[in-house]
């Protein structure tokens, strides 16, 4: 799974796109999955985190929505099943993404305006 995520991210970067990668959500893993799958999911996110920190292609981390994130642990962000985000959860993810994306958008806008002025 990590290699698939990385491959897609690299392909998008090679197309000139800004890429943000979020972890696989794991909030309800302990209640729903056997221990070995919980460990696999946690390891997957640790590998993604390391890749995002160390990559040289400009692929960035999106909001950290896995079970280790204090911000996304609160039950009010999820439907009653405790697994799927509800409107409040998606609103938070969207706000967090917006905060991250603003710098990329400003850079793109500057490049466009600069090209028009030269």
């Amino acid at each position: 799974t990590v290699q698939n995520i990385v491959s897609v991210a690299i392909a998008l970067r090679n197309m000139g796109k800004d890429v943000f990668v979020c972890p696989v959500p794991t909030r309800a893993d302990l209640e729903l999955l056997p221990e070995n799958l919980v460990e696999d999911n946690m390891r997957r996110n640790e590998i993604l985190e390391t890749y995002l920190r160390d990559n040289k292609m400009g692929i960035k981390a999106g909001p950290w929505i896995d079970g280790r994130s204090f911000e996304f642990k609160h039950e009010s962000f999820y439907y009653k099943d405790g697994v799927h985000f509800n409107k409040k959860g998606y609103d938070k993810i969207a706000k967090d993404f917006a905060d991250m994306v603003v710098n990329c958008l400003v850079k793109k806008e500057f490049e466009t305006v600069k090209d028009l002025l030269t």
Side-chain angles (χ1 to χ4, degrees):
T1 301
V2 172
Q3 188 56 49
N4 292 340
I5 293 169
V6 169
S7 295
V8 170
I10 289 171
L12 290 169
R13 280 301 293 154
N14 288 338
M15 295 167 55
K17 307 294 182 187
D18 293 317
V19 179
F20 293 83
V21 176
C22 290
V24 177
T26 58
R27 180 182 180 273
D29 281 6
L30 290 173
E31 295 87 26
L32 300 174
L33 300 175
E35 187 175 331
N36 65 317
L37 294 181
V38 171
E39 290 174 11
D40 288 349
N41 284 344
M42 290 179 69
R43 181 73 184 127
R44 179 183 307 118
N45 284 344
E46 289 168 1
I47 293 168
L48 273 175
E49 185 176 25
T50 300
Y51 173 79
L52 292 168
R53 183 183 59 242
D54 297 341
N55 85 88
K56 306 290 188 241
M57 294 195 64
I59 299 168
K60 301 166 194 71
W64 212 254
I65 58 176
D66 78 339
R68 297 179 296 159
S69 170
F70 178 77
E71 291 183 74
F72 284 96
K73 279 189 178 182
H74 199 273
E75 63 188 31
S76 68
F77 291 125
Y78 299 89
Y79 282 107
K80 291 179 184 178
D81 66 5
V83 177
H84 299 94
F85 290 110
N86 60 19
K87 181 180 180 335
K88 183 178 178 181
Y90 280 114
D91 286 347
K92 169 130 180 66
I93 294 169
K95 182 198 171 302
D96 290 356
F97 258 122
D99 292 343
M100 294 173 169
V101 171
V102 138
N103 287 337
C104 292
L105 294 175
V106 169
K107 287 178 187 176
K108 294 273 187 208
E109 183 178 33
F110 178 75
E111 290 171 12
T112 302
V113 170
K114 184 179 77 172
D115 290 343
L116 290 173
L117 296 175
T118 56

